[in-house]
Every structure is written in C-alpha cells, then in structure tokens.
C-alpha cells in the first residue's frame, strides 16, 4: 500500500470579506485588543461564556452565542456551540446556492472568521496537583468541533488559533478591503489541523497510559497515583514535532535532513538554543551539540566538554571556564580540532581569547559577555549557541526515542543520579576521598561515552577515553594509547567502565597503566574473579549497581 500523498490542485485563489466573527478562547492573550480592532472595522462579533463576559466588560459589543442558537448553555457550559446555528454558519459552502438557501431558511448566517483556542489540557496535565477529574474536564469538545468545521471549509472561513496571527490578519484586511486571501486561509487551516491532531494526541497518550484502579467505584476508574509516570507507556503513542529548519544535507551529503523541535521542550534541552552567530547548524552539529550539552550540564562546578563524532574527547572541571577548557583540551588536542565545545558557565572575554586559539565548529554556553561576543565575531563561521541550563528534573522528563527500521524504541532518559550511599566498596583497599571525587567525575563522563566505554580521569579532567569498541579490553587499550599520545600519564588515575568487566583482563589492562581505583556497575558472573584481580593489583574498586550503555 502506497503512503505517498496524492497530488491535489488547490482551489482558485480568491478572497473572502470578513463580516462576522465568532470568538471563544481559553488563552485570552491579546483577545480584547483584537476584538476591539475587529469591531472598529465594522465586523459583527459573536462570543461565548467567559470570553463574552470579558469582552463585554472591556467595552466590546458582542452577541452571546445563545442569542443565535436560541438555546442557553447547559451542563455547566459543556454544551453551548454544538448547534446548527454555529456549525451551519461555519460549514456552509459559499459557492453553493443550496447551502446558502438552507442557512437563510433556518434563520442562520455565515461565520467568516473563527477565533478559538482550546481548554488547557496539557497545562492541566503538567500540574502536579491535578486530579484525574481535573484533567478529564479539560478535554475540549466544542472547540475542536468548531475548529475542524471552519478549517475544513477554509475556502470560505478563516480560522485563528494563535494570538500571534492577530496583527497579521488585521494588516491583510486593512490592505485588502477587509478580505483575506485563500493562501492565508489555507495556511491557518494547516495550523488548525496540526494543532487539533497534537491536542488529540496528548489526550490519547494520557488515556492510553492510564490503567483502571482496582476500586473503580471509589476512584471513578482513575489511574495509579501518578498518571504521568515515565514508565506508563501508551498502547498507541502519538508524536508531533515542529520543523525548525531544513538542512543542507544529513549525516552524509547524499542524505537530506531537517531539524524538528518538540514544542514542549523544556529550558535546558538543546532545542531551547538561541544561535547568536555563525553558519546554519548541520545535522551532525546538532547531534554532537546535544551530546556535549547533555554532558556538561551534569556538572555543578565550571566545566568544559569537547565532543567529536558524538563522543566526549575531553572533559574537565576547574575554577573557571578558562581552566576547565585548558584541561579538557589537553586530553586529546588532535580530536579537539573542529570539535563541539560546551560550557556550563558564562564565557568571558578572557575565556573567548583562549578558546579562539583553536578551531571549533560550535561553542555552547548559557551566556557570553560583550567582550566574548566581540572576540568570537571575528570568526564569522563559528556557531555560537546560547542555552539556559534549565531544571534537571524537567530536562530528564519525558521519553528518549530512537528510530529503528519499521518502528521506534521508547525509553526513559538515562539519568546519572549516583550518590555516595549507593556505592559498594568490594575490594580490600578503600578509596580515599580524593579518589572518590575522581571516580564520581569519571562516572559522569562515561555516561556520555559510546559503549563499550572506558574513561581514565584524574584531578578533575579526562586523561584517556576509549569509546565504541566491540570489546571492553580494546576500549581500555585505546584510552591508554590516547593518553600516551597526549603526553598524559595514568599513574594513580581513576577509571570508569560503563558496564561490568566480563573478565579480569580488562581490570588487568587498566592496572597495567598505573590506575589505582575503578568504578563499575558490577553484576558479572565473574565478579569474584575481577575483585580478586583488583585485590591482587592493589586497586580500590567500587560497584554502582547501575550501568550506562550508550549505543
């Protein structure tokens, strides 16, 4: 079965004159000013409920919808616009004499402009104190029905859901004798159907993730205590994201690509960036920037992360951004060339001066001072991204989604929340406080390194990173080689392994370099063998009980 959309010729472009508008909004932003502007242009206004009350109190002359339906609102406002006087006025074809005669015979009139936005379902769902009843009550019925009716008939009706369109429509009407073009109405209709699909998808995701409570009579069929728990996966998952930009090409030049943003993305996620200068981001820029930003924002002290091909090649913390950068760069100067740099602190002119000595594709930070911007402006192709750090819990909420052939893999995000109490010392040698600090640093870094991951660290910086190998011992060997090439010694270093050592050979390999402490999940059938090897080599080793595979 083909999924290619048929080619459909659009109706002949024409303009409709706006004489009559219906306004019913939950988001009251700018609505009083818009209604007054419509009224001053001679447009008759109809309205409902709270919107009508607000407009009347603001001096706008509106006709309540019940005056045209000749039927009062009922069921606490649940039924007010579901009536032929409203839907007939929206759905009647302006090019059909039969439709217009039917309207006239019923005493109804066409509605040319519909201004509607919906009950705040998502906002209610996001409230931690919202009950099931609160959430269900904010499922809008009449609003989507009107929106779909008007948008279906966009050959004769303009439908507005977004307050940002108010001024645009007024400008067009003023320029064209109070009329709106077919392309404008078609653009608005596209927004409507995308919006109602997203709205319905949110409801579907919510209800599909809800299981009936054991005592349905007392709970009214409610879900478990937290209906928004990340482990509650809908039977049918509906996704909707918004296109931000097309890209020159994808991962490779023969692939096409575009970047889409989840409209509900939280501050602190990569999608909340503002680009301050430089060329457009590429597909690989975005992927690498996400890895760099995710890693750097996991540190509380000033930190720098340098990423190349989705892997951190240098990570460090320091007293300031300059110190952190200098230490991170030392890890692997060769790989750092043309990399993505991320910082979790505002960059000063001093930091910019130091960073500018090397070639970078992208620099990310929560802020840049005036001197830093001036220095970076000399590199016109350098992309500067400014991102708010955001809230950790908010950034880690939602789902991690990965495309596979024919489907999607959906999981909760991998949150590295390891605490000292969760560590289990399994060797005779106990780690010192300084070693524990290095182990925690190494563990944070290895979370963002592709599996199999081995990371050597010391004094708040990476010393060698082994990533993406099919065997763990090869990752250990590569990390040691990287350190050697960078002129860094591994004596007394700390080592993190994202998963357990399946044999003692991996532990022996890191011990041979001079490492003195190891952090790993544990859980292998040969844990005893590996622990014995650590004791034999005089290494302190701790288990986390948590692994961090990253594919």
């Amino acid at each position: 079965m083909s999924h290619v959309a048929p080619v459909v010729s659009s109706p002949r472009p024409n303009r409709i004159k706006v004489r009559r508008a219906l306004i019913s909004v939950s988001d009251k932003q700018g609505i009083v000013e818009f209604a007054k502007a419509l009224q001053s242009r001679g447009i008759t206004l109809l309205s409902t409920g709270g919107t009508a009350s607000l407009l009347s109190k603001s001096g706008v002359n509106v006709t309540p919808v019940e005056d045209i339906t000749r039927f009062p609102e009922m069921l606490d406002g649940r039924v007010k616009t579901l009536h032929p006087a409203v839907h007939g006025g929206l759905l009647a074809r302006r090019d059909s004499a039969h439709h217009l005669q039917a309207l006239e015979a019923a005493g109804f009139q066409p509605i040319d402009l519909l201004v509607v936005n919906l009950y705040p379902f998502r906002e209610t769902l996001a409230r931690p104190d919202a009950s099931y009843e609160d959430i269900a009550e904010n499922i809008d019925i009449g609003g989507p029905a009107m929106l779909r009716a008007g948008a279906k008939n966009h050959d004769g009706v303009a439908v507005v859901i977004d307050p940002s369109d108010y001024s645009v429509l007024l400008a067009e009407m003023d320029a064209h004798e109070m009329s709106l073009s077919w392309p404008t109405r078609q653009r608005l209709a596209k927004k409507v159907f995308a919006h109602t699909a997203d709205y319905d998808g949110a409801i579907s995701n919510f209800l599909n993730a809800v299981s009936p409570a054991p005592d349905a009579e007392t709970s009214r069929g409610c879900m478990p205590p937290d209906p928004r728990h990340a482990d509650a996966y809908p039977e049918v998952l509906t996704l909707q994201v918004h296109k931000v930009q097309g890209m020159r090409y994808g991962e490779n030049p023969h692939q096409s690509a575009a970047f889409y943003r989840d409209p509900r993305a939280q501050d602190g996620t990569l999608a909340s960036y503002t680009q301050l200068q430089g060329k457009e981001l590429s597909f690989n820029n975005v992927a690498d920037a996400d890895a760099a930003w995710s890693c750097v924002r996991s540190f509380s002290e000033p930190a720098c992360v340098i990423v190349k091909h989705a892997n951190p090649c240098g990570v460090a913390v320091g007293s300031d951004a300059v110190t952190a950068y200098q230490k991170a760069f030392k890890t692997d100067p060769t790989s750092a060339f043309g990399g993505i740099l991320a910082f979790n602190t505002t960059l000063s002119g001093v930091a910019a001066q130091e960073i500018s000595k090397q070639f970078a594709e992208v620099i990310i930070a929560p802020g840049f001072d005036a001197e830093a911007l001036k220095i970076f402006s000399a590199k016109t192709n350098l992309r500067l991204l400014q991102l708010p750090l955001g809230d950790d819990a908010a950034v880690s909420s939602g789902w991690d989604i990965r495309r596979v052939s024919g489907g999607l893999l959906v999981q909760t995000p991998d949150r590295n929340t390891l605490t000292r109490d969760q560590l289990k010392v399994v060797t005779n040698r106990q780690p010192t406080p300084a070693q524990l600090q290095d182990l925690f640093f190494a563990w944070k870094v290895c979370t963002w390194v592709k599996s199999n991951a081995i990371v050597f660290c010391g004094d708040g910086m990476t010393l060698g990173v082994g990533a993406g190998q099919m065997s763990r011992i090869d990752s250990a060997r590569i990390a040691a080689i990287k350190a050697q090439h960078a002129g860094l010694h591994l004596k007394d270093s700390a080592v993190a392994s994202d998963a357990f050592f399946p044999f003692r050979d991996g532990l022996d390999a890191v011990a041979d370099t001079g490492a003195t402490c190891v952090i790993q999940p544990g859980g292998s059938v040969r844990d005893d063998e590996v622990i014995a090897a650590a004791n034999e080599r005089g290494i302190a080793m701790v288990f986390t009980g948590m692994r961090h595979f990253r594919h």
Side-chain angles (χ1 to χ4, degrees):
M1 176 186 244
S2 173
H3 294 282
V4 178
V7 177
V8 180
S9 60
S10 62
R12 177 178 60 82
N14 65 304
R15 309 194 71 87
I16 61 159
K17 191 160 186 176
V18 178
R19 298 180 174 86
R20 204 157 173 261
L22 192 159
I23 304 175
S24 180
V25 293
S26 291
D27 179 1
K28 305 294 195 294
Q29 175 189 346
I31 196 60
V32 172
E33 295 78 9
F34 186 48
K36 286 182 176 179
L38 294 175
Q39 180 178 265
S40 70
R41 288 160 173 78
I43 296 171
T44 300
L45 303 181
L46 313 174
S47 192
T48 67
T51 306
S53 177
L54 172 65
L55 295 179
S56 294
K57 289 177 181 176
S58 302
V60 180
N61 184 24
V62 295
T63 300
V65 163
E66 53 262 38
D67 285 4
I68 67 166
T69 62
R70 306 182 192 98
F71 200 92
E73 293 184 10
M74 62 183 295
L75 306 181
D76 299 321
R78 283 188 169 200
V79 178
K80 50 181 176 273
T81 58
L82 297 170
H83 191 280
V86 173
H87 286 269
L90 293 171
L91 284 166
R93 291 183 54 174
R94 285 19 176 199
D95 61 350
S96 168
H98 171 64
H99 282 201
L100 297 177
Q101 288 166 4
L103 274 188
E104 185 177 2
F108 305 151
Q109 297 181 54
I111 297 170
D112 310 305
L113 177 66
L114 178 67
V115 185
V116 168
N117 49 57
L118 305 178
Y119 292 173
F121 177 80
R122 285 192 183 277
E123 293 79 359
T124 306
L125 186 62
R127 279 179 20 220
D129 63 336
S131 67
Y132 185 89
E133 287 74 15
D134 292 334
I135 296 167
E137 196 61 30
N138 276 279
I139 297 175
D140 203 329
I141 302 301
M146 286 192 291
L147 287 174
R148 291 174 61 84
K152 171 180 178 175
N153 195 30
H154 62 270
D155 200 31
V157 181
V159 186
V160 188
I161 57 168
D162 185 353
S164 69
D165 282 316
Y166 296 166
S167 60
V168 177
L169 297 188
L170 289 172
E172 181 175 339
M173 288 190 287
D174 287 344
H176 296 280
E177 299 179 338
M178 301 309 299
S179 69
L180 295 171
S181 69
W182 189 88
T184 293
R185 302 192 309 275
Q186 200 257 359
R187 175 182 68 83
L188 295 172
K190 286 195 294 185
K191 289 181 74 169
V192 164
F193 281 111
H195 182 71
T196 56
D198 184 45
Y199 191 82
D200 287 343
I203 297 168
S204 173
N205 286 345
F206 166 68
L207 291 175
N208 273 285
V210 171
S211 300
D215 187 351
E217 184 175 344
T218 57
S219 65
R220 296 178 60 186
C222 291
M223 67 303 238
D226 183 2
R228 290 143 292 195
H229 194 278
D231 289 335
Y233 294 94
E235 292 298 319
V236 177
L237 177 61
T238 303
L239 301 172
Q240 189 174 74
V241 291
H242 296 180
K243 184 178 178 182
V244 176
Q245 66 181 78
M247 294 182 166
R248 288 175 297 165
Y249 54 81
E251 209 163 7
N252 299 290
H254 63 275
Q255 296 171 268
S256 61
F259 179 39
Y260 287 80
R261 175 182 292 135
D262 186 336
R264 292 160 299 280
Q266 300 282 346
D267 281 351
T269 58
L270 182 73
S272 58
Y273 76 84
T274 298
Q275 184 166 352
L276 303 181
Q277 73 163 55
K279 298 189 298 185
E280 282 190 350
L281 293 169
S282 72
F283 183 98
N284 292 332
N285 287 157
V286 173
D288 286 349
D290 187 48
W293 181 247
S294 297
C295 182
V296 80
R297 64 180 309 282
S298 67
F299 294 95
S300 55
E301 57 268 69
C304 171
V305 174
I306 305 174
V307 162
K308 195 70 172 289
H309 297 300
N311 275 303
C313 60
V315 181
V317 295
S319 57
D320 53 33
V322 175
T323 306
Y325 167 71
Q326 290 170 336
K327 291 166 67 177
F329 184 77
K330 284 181 184 177
T331 303
D332 191 348
T334 301
S335 298
F337 180 84
I340 309 293
L341 277 61
F343 297 84
N344 61 357
T345 186
T346 296
L347 294 185
S348 65
V350 175
Q353 194 69 51
E354 180 68 19
I355 296 164
S356 292
K357 295 176 183 177
Q358 307 298 329
F359 169 59
E361 289 278 359
V362 181
I363 297 175
I364 314 164
F368 302 82
D369 72 14
E371 184 62 23
L373 290 174
K374 181 180 178 181
I375 292 169
F376 285 135
S377 67
K379 296 176 175 285
T380 55
N381 289 334
L382 173 64
R383 304 159 178 91
L384 293 187
L385 304 185
Q386 184 169 312
L387 276 81
L389 286 170
D391 175 75
D392 284 342
V395 170
S396 299
S397 64
W399 288 304
D400 178 16
I401 299 174
R402 187 173 307 176
R403 180 82 165 87
V404 296
S405 179
L408 299 173
L409 287 171
V410 182
Q411 64 177 350
T412 56
D414 183 8
R415 296 187 65 194
N416 190 338
T417 56
L418 185 67
T419 65
R420 176 66 183 86
D421 294 340
Q422 293 172 292
L423 291 182
K424 180 182 179 182
V425 180
V426 295
T427 51
N428 297 332
R429 182 175 175 180
Q430 297 283 316
T432 67
Q435 288 177 324
L436 280 174
Q437 189 171 344
D438 283 338
L439 289 172
F440 271 101
F441 176 87
W443 188 246
K444 281 186 178 181
V445 175
C446 88
T447 302
W448 304 103
V449 178
K450 298 286 187 180
S451 299
N452 286 313
I454 293 289
V455 180
F456 287 84
C457 297
D459 189 29
M461 65 176 283
T462 48
L463 301 171
V465 179
Q469 299 306 302
M470 289 70 75
S471 70
R472 193 157 300 278
I473 190 170
D474 283 343
S475 290
R477 290 165 175 161
I478 288 171
I481 291 170
K482 286 280 190 181
Q484 181 182 11
H485 285 176
L488 301 172
H489 68 80
L490 299 180
K491 187 175 185 303
D492 297 327
S493 62
V495 178
S497 174
D498 64 342
F500 60 66
F501 288 101
F503 303 97
R504 69 166 288 165
D505 57 359
L507 190 286
D508 285 325
V510 301
D512 288 343
T513 68
T516 54
C517 56
V518 170
I519 186 170
Q520 61 134 320
S524 167
V525 295
R526 293 185 175 86
D527 274 350
D528 289 344
E529 175 186 322
V530 176
I531 293 169
N535 285 328
E536 179 185 320
R537 304 298 298 267
I539 284 179
M541 185 163 64
V542 298
F543 283 2
T544 65
M546 173 192 300
R547 79 176 188 197
H548 286 294
F549 273 162
R550 185 172 175 81
H551 287 87

